[in-house]
Amino acid sequence: MRKLMISIILASTLLITGCSEEMDKITEKVDIEDIKDKANDIVSERLEETEQIKILKEYYGFIEKRMDEDKIINFLKDNIESLDEFRVDEMLIQLENHLYAKGYDTKGVLEKLAPHIQYASDEFKSYFRIWNNEVENETTDGESINISAQEILERALQIENHIDKFPEGKTRTRLEELYNTYMSLAIQGLGNQYVYAQEGESVLKEDTLKVYEETISENPDSRTARILQEYLAEIKKDEMALDGENALYFYDNIERIIENQK
């Protein structure tokens, strides 16, 4: 079961890190504040409902025919200012799916979406920020964890706040997958819980315990806190041993435990 979980985590991580091949030189970072400022300045006349629907249908046709992304993006550019933000969201989501199907990694997808984010809804802008943050500072390279448990939990909380704010949003499903990955990584690493153990021992390191306890204390009503509370309750039964019977049970069932705390 634990091997299965590792596979699940790595599969989710693939979405985060994209292709395993070394990426080209990092391009200029996206200026989120600049996007926000531009969004506030946008004043455009929207088309009538029937005209917007007509544009969407034509756009869907391009996607279904798997046309070259340049043609799709040019069509998007030509029409985006005439659409309401929720239809812009739909076009960007379809473009995102199309680019992934074409083999783009997450960084490449975000670079294609970035020029159009100013026209999207607050939900999609928030979604974009979450993924952009991950791409700029990846949680894992698939072999090791690159950031602290505290930062991983902060990212999980950011997603939780997004979902609370947009519970019926179109971005929820993909972000829930990322949330599950973050919580797994913050608790058991990449299937090796000893990354959070005291050096040379099998018990949870004090610094990590403090991070968990502070996260619970500062976010008492959060799903993240509930998951951490359940985890600490289990390992305390084995005097904080990460290889104890209760800890191993938690790791084997972590996917179900995270799901049950929705």
Side-chain angles (χ1 to χ4, degrees), residues 1-229:
M1 181 65 182
R2 293 187 66 200
K3 289 183 179 179
L4 176 60
M5 267 306 303
I6 294 172
S7 298
I8 292 169
I9 292 172
L10 289 173
S12 298
T13 302
L14 181 61
L15 182 61
I16 300 172
T17 59
C19 300
S20 59
E21 296 181 1
E22 188 176 26
M23 291 180 31
D24 294 333
K25 188 176 181 180
I26 302 300
T27 56
E28 185 178 358
K29 293 181 179 179
V30 175
D31 189 337
I32 297 298
E33 290 303 316
D34 183 54
I35 290 174
K36 183 177 179 182
D37 291 341
K38 288 180 180 178
N40 292 333
D41 294 336
I42 292 173
V43 178
S44 58
E45 184 176 349
R46 307 302 182 194
L47 292 173
E48 293 293 329
E49 181 84 4
T50 54
E51 291 299 313
Q52 292 197 41
I53 293 173
K54 183 178 178 181
I55 287 172
L56 275 182
K57 286 182 177 180
E58 188 173 355
Y59 184 75
Y60 291 154
F62 292 164
I63 297 290
E64 289 173 1
K65 292 175 183 177
R66 297 181 178 274
M67 288 189 174
D68 182 79
E69 55 264 28
D70 288 339
K71 183 169 184 177
I72 294 172
I73 290 171
N74 286 335
F75 183 85
L76 179 65
K77 288 178 182 177
D78 291 341
N79 293 281
I80 197 167
E81 293 187 41
S82 301
L83 303 175
D84 64 57
E85 61 185 24
F86 300 107
R87 288 192 170 92
V88 170
D89 287 359
E90 180 63 26
M91 293 180 83
L92 294 179
I93 289 170
Q94 292 297 327
L95 175 60
E96 179 183 35
N97 292 338
H98 176 76
L99 293 172
Y100 278 125
K102 286 278 192 175
Y104 279 76
D105 60 19
T106 302
K107 178 180 175 292
V109 170
L110 294 183
E111 288 175 350
K112 294 289 186 180
L113 296 179
H116 316 293
I117 296 301
Q118 57 184 309
Y119 300 99
S121 68
D122 289 343
E123 178 196 352
F124 201 89
K125 288 171 186 170
S126 172
Y127 169 80
F128 182 88
R129 285 194 294 270
I130 288 169
W131 276 109
N132 195 60
N133 184 41
E134 174 59 40
V135 167
E136 288 185 357
N137 186 13
E138 293 178 338
T139 307
T140 173
D141 57 14
E143 296 181 359
S144 60
I145 296 175
N146 300 326
I147 62 177
S148 67
Q150 180 176 356
E151 187 168 348
I152 296 173
L153 289 170
E154 287 173 355
R155 293 185 183 189
L157 285 165
Q158 184 182 11
I159 293 176
E160 186 174 348
N161 291 335
H162 173 98
I163 292 173
D164 287 344
K165 189 173 182 180
F166 309 105
E168 305 299 325
K170 294 180 179 180
T171 61
R172 176 170 182 159
T173 299
R174 182 165 289 163
L175 285 181
E176 284 200 343
E177 292 173 357
L178 183 57
Y179 175 86
N180 294 350
T181 299
Y182 282 153
M183 291 306 300
S184 293
L185 292 173
I187 290 172
Q188 66 164 1
L190 280 168
N192 176 18
Q193 70 273 27
Y194 300 113
V195 69
Y196 299 123
Q198 295 276 20
E199 187 173 355
E201 301 180 32
S202 63
V203 298
L204 183 68
K205 72 172 68 169
E206 293 179 4
D207 288 349
T208 303
L209 174 59
K210 183 178 179 181
V211 167
Y212 292 162
E213 290 177 336
E214 287 179 350
T215 300
I216 293 168
S217 175
E218 293 170 5
N219 307 274
D221 299 323
S222 68
R223 177 186 178 192
T224 302
R226 294 195 300 273
I227 294 167
L228 291 176
Q229 284 174 321

